[in-house]
Amino acid sequence: MTSDSSKNITKYESYKYAFERLQEALEKEFFLEAVMIAESIVADRLLSYLTLKLQEAESDKTLNPRAALKHLIDQWAKLDGIVIYKERQNLISDIDQWRGDRNECAHGLVKSNPGDPTKPVEEFRNKARDCALQGKQLARDLCSWTQSQKSKIRKSA
């Protein structure tokens, strides 16, 4: 059986690597990789926060660790409504909007309706870069926000 402290160390090392790799992907202009790493971070933080929030509410509901990001965002919105954080008017809607951009990047490089052209490569590349940069910031903001929320939940328990 693994101790809580070793789980935390492993999780810390995973996050450290993820953010290092995210930065490296941005520097090397591997924007799609950066987007996917940001999504992994966002989904993990939401899953962790929502699980703790449901436990606090003594809910029997559990979340599937493989749940789609859309499902996690929807659950978050049901529990918290609007999340004002730093300069963000609603962190939930910002992440949901980014999720849509992420979908465009994940599927938009060559996929189009038969007979229709794809976006010009430079336009796609710019969209992927912007999505990667925004994903990095959202991942950081969500990590910071969830850490503060989880501390509040634990203190009130």
Side-chain angles (χ1 to χ4, degrees):
M1 186 161 181
T2 310
S3 72
D4 283 346
S5 63
S6 66
K7 285 186 215 174
N8 288 342
I9 291 168
T10 302
K11 187 67 121 177
Y12 167 79
E13 289 171 351
S14 295
Y15 268 82
K16 183 175 182 278
Y17 177 74
F19 276 107
E20 287 170 356
R21 186 65 187 215
L22 176 56
Q23 184 60 39
E24 183 180 359
L26 285 167
E27 289 168 4
K28 292 183 177 181
E29 300 185 0
F30 297 149
F31 302 127
L32 295 177
E33 179 177 352
V35 168
M36 296 304 117
I37 294 169
E39 179 186 12
S40 179
I41 294 167
V42 166
D44 181 75
R45 289 299 78 205
L46 282 179
L47 184 62
S48 176
Y49 169 72
L50 292 170
T51 298
L52 187 61
K53 189 87 170 171
L54 290 170
Q55 287 171 352
E56 176 197 34
E58 297 180 1
S59 172
D60 291 338
K61 185 173 184 164
T62 59
L63 294 167
N64 181 344
R66 299 179 64 113
L69 183 56
K70 170 88 171 117
H71 178 73
L72 296 174
I73 294 168
D74 289 347
Q75 291 301 311
W76 185 23
K78 283 180 189 173
L79 288 172
D80 290 341
I82 294 173
V83 171
I84 298 169
Y85 184 69
K86 295 185 178 180
E87 71 283 346
R88 296 188 183 280
Q89 296 300 308
N90 188 352
L91 184 58
I92 297 171
S93 64
D94 287 352
I95 288 177
D96 193 39
Q97 183 175 2
W98 176 78
R99 180 193 57 78
D101 292 340
R102 190 255 340 153
N103 284 345
E104 280 185 50
C105 290
H107 303 291
L109 180 58
V110 296
K111 186 178 179 183
S112 67
N113 287 326
D116 290 346
T118 57
K119 282 185 181 178
V121 172
E122 194 58 31
E123 184 181 329
F124 175 82
R125 188 181 170 289
N126 290 338
K127 174 83 172 182
R129 180 196 63 229
D130 293 348
C131 188
L133 291 168
Q134 186 180 25
K136 177 185 173 187
Q137 189 56 55
L138 284 166
R140 289 205 179 281
D141 287 351
L142 185 60
C143 283
S144 177
W145 181 83
T146 56
Q147 185 175 25
S148 69
Q149 294 303 303
K150 287 165 72 174
S151 292
K152 287 178 188 176
I153 290 169
R154 287 185 182 115
K155 284 179 185 174
S156 69

